[in-house]
Amino acid sequence: MRIAMIGTGYVGLVSGACFSEFGVDVVCVDKDASKIEGLHQNRMPIYEPGLDQLVADNVKAGRLSFTTDLKAAVKGADAVFIAVGTPSRRGDGHADLSYVYAAAKEIAESIDGYTVVVTKSTVPVGTGREVERIIKETRPDADFDVVSNPEFLREGSAINDFMRPDRVVIGAESERSRAVMKQLYRVLYLIETPIVFTSLETSELIKYAANTFLAAKITFINEIADLCEAVGADVHDVAKGIGLDGRIGKKFLHPGPGYGGSCFPKDTLALVRTARDKGAPLRIIETVVSINDERKRRMADKIIAACGGSVKGKTIAVLGLTFKPNTDDMRDSRSLEIVPALQAAGAKIQAFDPEGMNEAKHMLKDITFCEGAYETLEGADALAVLTEWNEFRALNMSRVKAALSAPIVVDLRNIWSPEEMAAEGFQYTSIGRPSSPRA
Ligand code: UGA
């Protein structure tokens, strides 16, 4: 089997590398020559644990290659995956499909023999049909089928999510295209992964329904956390107590500053738009979007309150800037709102993130970026944890206390326990749990 993967962003690169690991011959295509050049030298355009090794191994085995030449990659391929970006369109929140449609047109021009064209990018319901129309219009003689195959990869654990998924969803409407997809995912059949075959539209909707459900689940536990604070309950015990009910499930019930990243904020907004346009509004998701938005401001206020009601002239040490750990991705990270809100309230910021500093430097202004966690704490009036990197959990708390000029810690990811922090003499505020008394 030979496939072409159009787009070497997060989804394209991870999927391409993983398919090659499955034994498929994969050519990854990108218009950005510098990205392709970097990949030739095994320089990854993103940080994803294990990806560089996976790419190096498969390039060496001759199953994975990179090119800017779309035509050559598509010619003779059994399947061509569209994995280009679908950012939120400015103004209306709809997914911007211009890259997808441009790719469809270019693919059509190069199709050679029966080809399955697969949308891997997250695309609104109806996009697959439009891709089909574009290809037919561009090349009336082309022998092809369009298939939807959404990804469910989490940044930071994307390789494992691809290799051992809970399920694979395939919107394919012909026996021929289903046969090609079955062959591509043969390795997963062997480990009895559920494969759900549906229509194009259903498959496209499953992706959005999954992401918006998860966003709602996080938002639910965040609101329960606020209620826990108000009534003196512990959100982790509540999460455990409800999560053990198999109908609810334990995952994605970790409270925090609100969801961020390149997917949930964009996908919730896009589905809300689609649903309104189709006259079937999703009021529950509309509410989720607005609660999650408001939460950014609430989190900044929480830090200010922990500092005695004002941060004017104070220095806040911020640990963690990315939208979650094990990524360098800053897109829609909570830090992008919380840090400027603290600055607007008069705080000076010293910050550190294990992988996100290069990105953060372009996106956050007037910050002192530090080399490591302890250095960030030096002389600060309070510590705020915004992302739960493992290395922060392992900090020596005596050193933390000695470095800070006041023992105030606001932990928006609940990486420490209130009891231990109180015993260490910290004035500790977390999410959905009792705070330790003011020092
Ligand atoms: C998400 C989905 O989890 C993937 O299944 C999906 O494929 C992907 O979007 C996508 O559409 O491409 P990702 O954005 O990488 O993956 O990250 P998540 O691990 O889902 O986290 C998203 C946000 O929710 C983060 O800000 C995280 O901190 C927050 N979160 C997650 C919580 O606050 N609590 C939780 O319990 C879980």
Side-chain angles (χ1 to χ4, degrees):
M1 290 292 262
R2 190 162 84 67
I3 65 170
M5 186 67 66
I6 314 299
T8 58
Y10 201 84
V11 171
L13 189 53
V14 171
S15 306
C18 289
F19 272 127
S20 65
E21 182 71 13
F22 284 175
V24 176
D25 283 331
V26 181
V27 185
C28 289
V29 184
D30 207 292
K31 281 191 166 12
D32 184 340
S34 63
K35 232 179 187 183
I36 295 298
E37 186 45 39
L39 284 163
H40 281 146
Q41 291 161 24
N42 202 45
R43 238 188 4 255
M44 300 300 111
I46 49 160
Y47 172 78
E48 178 65 27
L51 185 61
D52 46 1
Q53 194 57 51
L54 190 70
V55 167
D57 290 349
N58 283 288
V59 167
K60 196 160 167 226
R63 288 189 297 260
L64 179 62
S65 62
F66 303 98
T67 181
T68 52
D69 187 349
L70 184 141
K71 281 191 168 42
V74 169
K75 231 179 184 28
D78 297 292
V80 180
F81 283 74
I82 302 178
V84 297
T86 54
S88 276
R89 207 159 62 189
R90 254 170 219 271
D92 63 5
H94 271 298
D96 179 351
L97 296 172
S98 50
Y99 302 111
V100 173
Y101 294 152
K105 199 161 183 324
E106 268 194 81
I107 291 165
E109 283 157 4
S110 316
I111 280 180
D112 170 24
Y114 177 68
T115 312
V116 179
V117 178
V118 190
T119 52
K120 194 80 180 153
S121 306
T122 299
V123 290
V125 182
T127 306
R129 293 275 169 233
E130 181 58 14
V131 166
E132 201 170 68
R133 196 196 60 74
I134 291 171
I135 298 176
K136 264 195 194 125
E137 185 185 87
T138 314
R139 274 282 301 282
D141 64 313
D143 187 11
F144 73 101
D145 275 308
V146 172
V147 163
S148 155
N149 175 216
E151 52 84 18
F152 301 101
L153 312 176
R154 283 164 304 169
E155 292 188 20
S157 48
I159 293 171
N160 189 56
D161 287 349
F162 195 99
M163 301 284 191
R164 276 169 286 276
D166 289 343
R167 80 312 203 177
V168 173
V169 173
I170 299 174
E173 296 173 352
S174 75
E175 212 29 76
R176 264 209 299 185
S177 62
R178 281 194 286 269
V180 169
M181 296 305 286
K182 276 185 189 162
Q183 189 59 26
L184 282 176
Y185 282 108
R186 206 177 57 89
V187 174
L188 296 185
Y189 268 94
L190 299 178
I191 57 168
E192 293 180 9
T193 306
I195 312 257
V196 182
F197 281 103
T198 72
S199 70
L200 268 180
E201 284 79 5
T202 304
S203 167
E204 289 167 343
L205 188 56
I206 287 172
K207 166 69 192 188
Y208 280 94
N211 271 8
T212 54
F213 185 89
L214 292 171
K217 196 170 180 188
I218 296 165
T219 306
F220 173 81
I221 203 66
N222 284 341
E223 285 211 306
I224 292 289
D226 294 346
L227 181 57
C228 284
E229 286 173 27
V231 302
D234 183 320
V235 67
H236 291 295
D237 291 342
V238 174
K240 193 170 174 192
I242 62 172
L244 285 168
D245 183 328
R247 291 169 301 176
I248 296 174
K250 287 185 280 192
K251 293 181 183 164
F252 272 63
L253 286 177
H254 192 84
Y259 61 79
S262 63
C263 305
F264 288 172
K266 171 171 79 78
D267 295 349
T268 42
L269 222 52
L271 190 62
V272 159
R273 281 276 126 233
T274 303
R276 283 238 157 231
D277 289 356
K278 300 287 178 196
L282 285 170
R283 281 166 301 166
I284 192 165
I285 304 303
E286 290 178 12
T287 307
V288 163
V289 169
S290 72
I291 295 170
N292 196 61
D293 266 353
E294 283 160 24
R295 197 163 180 81
K296 301 168 188 166
R297 181 65 233 178
R298 286 173 71 103
M299 292 299 110
D301 289 344
K302 198 176 176 84
I303 297 168
I304 295 169
C307 293
S310 169
V311 289
K312 204 167 183 356
K314 292 183 179 164
T315 300
I316 310 291
V318 171
L319 290 184
L321 296 168
T322 49
F323 83 96
K324 67 173 198 176
N326 299 324
T327 177
D328 59 354
D329 200 337
M330 288 288 297
R331 283 175 289 177
D332 257 302
S333 173
R334 303 272 101 179
S335 66
L336 296 175
E337 305 279 342
I338 295 172
V339 166
L342 294 174
Q343 289 172 316
K348 290 199 284 285
I349 306 290
Q350 300 180 166
F352 170 71
D353 187 280
E355 293 294 337
M357 306 260 273
N358 283 341
E359 281 296 302
K361 282 175 186 162
H362 303 296
M363 301 169 105
L364 290 165
K365 298 285 162 238
D366 303 321
I367 291 188
T368 307
F369 287 102
C370 302
E371 294 286 312
Y374 292 114
E375 190 193 320
T376 313
L377 308 173
E378 217 47 67
D381 297 290
L383 158 63
V385 175
L386 303 195
T387 318
E388 70 277 33
W389 286 91
N390 268 339
E391 67 171 83
F392 302 154
R393 295 177 203 272
L395 288 175
N396 174 324
M397 296 321 279
S398 311
R399 271 185 79 183
V400 170
K401 196 159 168 230
L404 290 168
S405 66
I408 299 174
V409 174
V410 184
D411 175 3
L412 299 184
R413 300 289 186 165
N414 291 4
I415 65 174
W416 294 302
S417 95
E419 294 74 25
E420 280 168 22
M421 292 300 274
E424 293 273 359
F426 285 100
Q427 179 194 312
Y428 177 69
T429 307
S430 58
I431 305 275
R433 302 181 297 182
S435 295
S436 59
R438 201 168 284 285

